[in-house]
């Protein structure tokens, strides 16, 4: 099987308690489409990140003009976009230039899965520090879990030239708060690989049970034909 055909897993699936055995099983069987449409809830964050990336096409400070109003989004989304743009200008007023880094999926041949690389903004500051900027617009404060740091260590290991350490900055552009972490790239890779293997093993174990409905069904790709809901539909007829 070519790397492109391997089943795709994602950080949230590895990081959180397995949601539903059938969801896990079908995902590990490769049922989840690789080119799944981007979710609407990420539209504003994605737009802000790409505007910031364009702003840093050269070494300079961002300005309000770099964040034009996204007229194709809904009015509520545009309001959040405006607030987020202001947040970015407040939290990151210094000059920086965007780095071109590989975005192809991480492939775990031994596990038979791949993982989409996070699409964070990566910049080099005027002081020469390479910084991963993860932009969030939840208003709940920046969220940075251990799993995200593991994945970033694996992502950074592919960069050329390799970095001895990587600064990670997670910013909630609405709460105007940031949290930072330093990933020691070389020593972090082994722990990151072990973490992915452990979490994958937990998923395989979790995939053996019966389907379990819950809040996760609202976002599940398999809701239309999963065994649990197909059974409910049949008994409703
Ligand atoms: S719709 Fe719900 S019960 Fe069915 S596979 Fe998805 S998460 Fe599981």
């Amino acid at each position: 099987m070519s790397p492109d055909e391997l089943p795709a897993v994602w950080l949230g699936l590895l990081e959180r308690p397995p949601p539903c055995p059938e969801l896990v099983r079908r995902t590990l069987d490769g049922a989840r489409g690789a080119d799944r449409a981007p979710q609407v809830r990420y539209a504003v964050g994605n737009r802000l990140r790409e505007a910031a990336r364009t702003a840093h096409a050269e070494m300079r400070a961002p300005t309000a003009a770099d964040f034009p109003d996204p007229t194709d989004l809904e009015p509520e989304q545009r309001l959040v976009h405006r607030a987020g743009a202001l947040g970015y200008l407040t939290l990151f007023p210094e000059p920086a230039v965007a780095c071109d880094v590989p975005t192809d999926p991480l492939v775990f041949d031994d596990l038979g899965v791949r993982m989409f690389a996070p699409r964070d903004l990566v910049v080099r500051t005027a002081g020469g520090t390479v910084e991963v900027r993860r932009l969030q617009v939840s208003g709940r404060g920046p969220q940075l879990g251990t799993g995200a740091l593991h994945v970033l260590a694996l992502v950074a290991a592919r960069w050329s030239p390799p970095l001895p350490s990587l600064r990670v900055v997670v910013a909630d552009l609405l709460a105007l708060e940031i949290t930072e972490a330093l990933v020691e790239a070389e020593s972090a890779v082994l722990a990151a690989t072990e973490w992915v293997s452990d979490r994958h093993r937990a998923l395989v174990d979790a995939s053996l049970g019966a389907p379990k409905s819950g809040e996760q069904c609202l976002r599940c790709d398999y809701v239309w034909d999963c065994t649990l809901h197909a059974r409910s539909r049949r008994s409703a007829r």
Side-chain angles (χ1 to χ4, degrees):
M1 191 182 281
S2 80
D4 288 349
E5 294 168 318
L6 288 173
V9 295
W10 57 99
L11 175 62
L13 186 66
L14 292 176
E15 199 169 39
R16 299 185 198 113
C20 158
E22 177 152 343
L23 184 157
V24 173
R25 184 165 54 250
R26 292 173 72 154
T27 300
L28 294 181
D29 285 348
R32 185 177 194 254
D35 300 319
R36 192 171 183 244
Q39 294 188 16
V40 173
R41 64 191 170 127
Y42 299 127
V44 174
N46 288 346
R47 207 58 78 87
L48 286 164
R49 185 191 60 239
E50 292 316 310
R53 199 192 305 282
T54 305
H56 294 301
E58 57 192 59
M59 175 64 80
R60 70 172 176 82
T63 69
D66 293 316
F67 296 88
D69 220 21
T71 50
D72 57 317
L73 296 186
E74 298 297 326
E76 297 80 5
Q77 292 176 305
R78 287 162 62 181
L79 288 174
V80 176
H81 186 276
R82 271 178 226 154
L86 202 55
Y88 188 85
L89 297 171
T90 305
L91 295 172
F92 301 105
E94 307 294 341
V97 62
C99 302
D100 197 13
V101 294
T103 55
D104 43 321
L106 295 160
V107 175
F108 302 94
D109 283 320
D110 51 334
L111 305 178
V113 294
R114 64 191 166 129
M115 182 191 295
F116 298 113
R119 289 178 292 174
D120 302 302
L121 175 63
V122 182
V123 300
R124 184 165 44 79
T125 66
T129 304
V130 174
E131 188 172 284
V132 172
R133 291 180 179 173
R134 177 160 296 183
L135 308 182
Q136 299 174 342
V137 284
S138 71
R140 295 192 301 269
Q143 310 290 316
L144 177 62
T146 317
L149 292 176
H150 284 316
V151 172
L152 286 172
L154 295 172
V155 166
R158 306 184 303 178
W159 292 353
S160 177
L163 298 171
S165 62
L166 178 68
R167 186 164 180 250
V168 179
V169 181
V170 181
D172 185 328
L173 302 181
L174 301 186
L176 296 183
E177 291 173 19
I178 60 173
T179 188
E180 298 180 26
L182 194 68
V183 174
E184 298 293 347
E186 218 170 280
S187 58
V189 165
L190 183 59
T193 307
E194 284 173 359
W195 181 81
V196 172
S197 294
D198 287 349
R199 296 307 306 153
H200 179 265
R201 199 173 311 119
L203 284 180
V204 172
D205 291 347
S207 71
L208 302 176
K212 191 169 74 184
S213 66
E215 192 259 341
Q216 72 274 5
C217 298
L218 294 171
R219 293 186 300 278
C220 179
D221 289 354
Y222 317 122
V223 69
W224 299 112
D225 65 346
C226 92
T227 46
L228 190 69
H229 290 86
R231 212 182 301 144
S232 318
R233 273 194 293 273
R234 272 199 305 274
S235 51
R237 280 190 207 129

